[in-house]
Amino acid sequence: MREMVSEDALSGEYVAQKMQECMKGKPFSHAVFDGFVRKEVVAGLVKAFGKEIFTQQRADLFQFSQTLDLHGSSQKVIKQFVAFLDSTEFAAHVTRVTGVKVK
């Protein structure tokens, strides 16, 4: 997890602050995790997503661009990030902060 997440975001103080934010979030429980992912990981993801193929999705009420399933990406940094988000370690961290069992 340390290769993806900033040191500050793993500190007890940061986690405690996010736990409080989550409990007090309005109109529903939530917290914003600014600076959670390391800057160099974010930069790599931005570059990798620039190489992904996006298709336009449109309906009456919305329009957005969508990639194929990211598990199948050929970009190493995207595969690593998806594996991180799927990890039990990340799920345990989210559960610790939010109190909601994720996995």
Side-chain angles (χ1 to χ4, degrees):
M1 189 149 119
R2 293 191 182 279
E3 61 274 355
M4 293 286 171
V5 179
S6 70
E7 285 297 317
D8 290 344
L10 294 175
S11 73
E13 183 179 320
Y14 184 93
V15 171
Q17 177 188 3
K18 294 306 171 185
M19 288 172 74
Q20 285 186 344
E21 279 181 35
C22 189
M23 290 185 298
K24 294 179 181 178
K26 299 288 182 203
F28 50 85
S29 297
H30 72 283
V32 177
F33 288 77
D34 291 328
F36 184 74
V37 178
R38 290 182 175 274
K39 290 179 183 180
E40 59 272 16
V41 173
V42 172
L45 286 167
V46 169
K47 185 176 179 181
F49 275 113
K51 297 175 183 174
E52 290 291 312
I53 298 171
F54 288 81
T55 57
Q56 290 291 314
Q57 304 296 324
R58 297 171 195 221
D60 293 354
L61 301 175
F62 61 83
Q63 175 181 334
F64 61 91
S65 297
Q66 180 179 11
T67 65
L68 296 175
D69 182 8
L70 293 178
H71 286 92
S73 175
S74 62
Q75 304 293 321
K76 182 180 176 183
V77 69
I78 292 175
K79 285 184 174 193
Q80 290 172 331
F81 191 68
V82 169
F84 163 67
L85 294 176
D86 283 343
S87 72
T88 54
E89 189 176 16
F90 178 69
H93 185 72
V94 171
T95 299
R96 186 170 44 252
V97 172
T98 63
V100 176
K101 185 166 174 70
V102 176
K103 241 180 181 179

